[in-house]
Amino acid sequence: MATAKSVLNESRQIERAVALIRLGARLQVLESETDLSYERLLRLYKEVAGKSPSKGQLPFSTDWFLTWQPNIHASLFLNIYEYLGKVSPLDDIDAVMKAYRLYSEQMATLDMQPLLSVTRAWRLVKFVDNNMLAMTKCSKCGGHFVSEPYENARHYVCGLCEPPARAGKGSAGGIQLH
């Protein structure tokens, strides 16, 4: 019976890895979120993605999530993630994947490209879990936004209520302010 159980577990691990690869997750995310060996993950990545995985370190700075446009995208994702955590009994990584799919669908509805990759979304959740980032309620609109962990909520104003002076002026697209 133990053999059948381990085969089933391995099948679930492979399914999870394939789903993450299809979302564009980096190999380090797969290593962290599955029990599969590096060699197995590498072969699986090449088979599913049709190419070798990206090399290099994962982004490790909280600063990116605090800049104007990335903050709005990260905040949308994290609000979805936290809502899913409250209403469904998902494992953390399954909640990240589901929240990322919902975030991506929302971006498509708005005819926008997601600024957040699934790897960055996963990293964001890790930063929040480790109290390196938090969610703070905007004192103007009441929305919850990614912020420094000890932000004073009484004086916090989000980037949508008070965008930076140059916001929306570039040709990079993203969030349009009218």
Side-chain angles (χ1 to χ4, degrees):
M1 195 66 163
T3 308
K5 195 173 186 178
S6 67
V7 168
L8 221 87
N9 181 45
E10 185 179 32
S11 173
R12 285 190 195 104
Q13 297 285 320
I14 291 170
E15 280 180 37
R16 179 176 279 168
V18 167
L20 283 164
I21 293 165
R22 287 190 173 135
L23 286 173
R26 300 271 301 267
L27 198 57
Q28 293 94 323
V29 176
L30 304 177
E31 284 182 285
S32 177
E33 298 298 336
T34 70
D35 297 330
L36 301 171
S37 71
Y38 175 82
E39 292 76 20
R40 192 106 189 255
L41 288 171
L42 192 57
R43 285 196 320 266
L44 192 60
Y45 195 101
K46 288 177 182 177
E47 187 176 330
V48 173
K51 61 181 182 177
S52 293
S54 300
K55 301 236 186 291
Q57 295 292 322
L58 292 181
F60 192 77
S61 172
T62 57
D63 296 343
W64 185 86
F65 298 102
L66 300 172
T67 58
W68 182 64
Q69 274 190 327
N71 182 264
I72 294 166
H73 285 254
S75 298
L76 173 61
F77 166 81
L78 200 54
N79 275 287
I80 295 168
Y81 173 82
E82 288 186 349
Y83 175 78
L84 288 174
K86 291 175 187 166
V87 301
S88 61
L90 295 168
D91 288 344
D92 284 351
I93 189 59
D94 294 327
V96 167
M97 289 188 293
K98 189 170 185 103
Y100 188 76
R101 283 187 196 103
L102 290 167
Y103 157 75
S104 295
E105 287 170 14
Q106 190 61 43
M107 291 297 100
T109 301
L110 297 170
D111 204 24
M112 294 171 57
Q113 285 296 318
L115 278 185
L116 203 61
S117 68
V118 72
T119 299
R120 278 202 195 266
W122 174 79
R123 177 59 81 194
L124 172 61
V125 169
K126 297 292 183 201
F127 284 151
V128 171
D129 287 349
N130 290 301
N131 299 316
M132 295 170 73
L133 288 172
M135 292 289 270
T136 302
K137 186 175 179 176
C138 174
S139 60
K140 286 191 174 182
C141 70
H144 291 83
F145 292 83
V146 174
S147 64
E148 296 281 356
Y150 303 106
E151 188 73 51
N152 183 342
R154 188 185 315 157
H155 304 293
Y156 180 76
V157 179
C158 72
L160 287 174
C161 290
E162 288 185 8
R166 304 265 320 137
K169 304 255 191 287
S171 61
I175 297 164
Q176 301 299 315
L177 298 175
H178 299 287

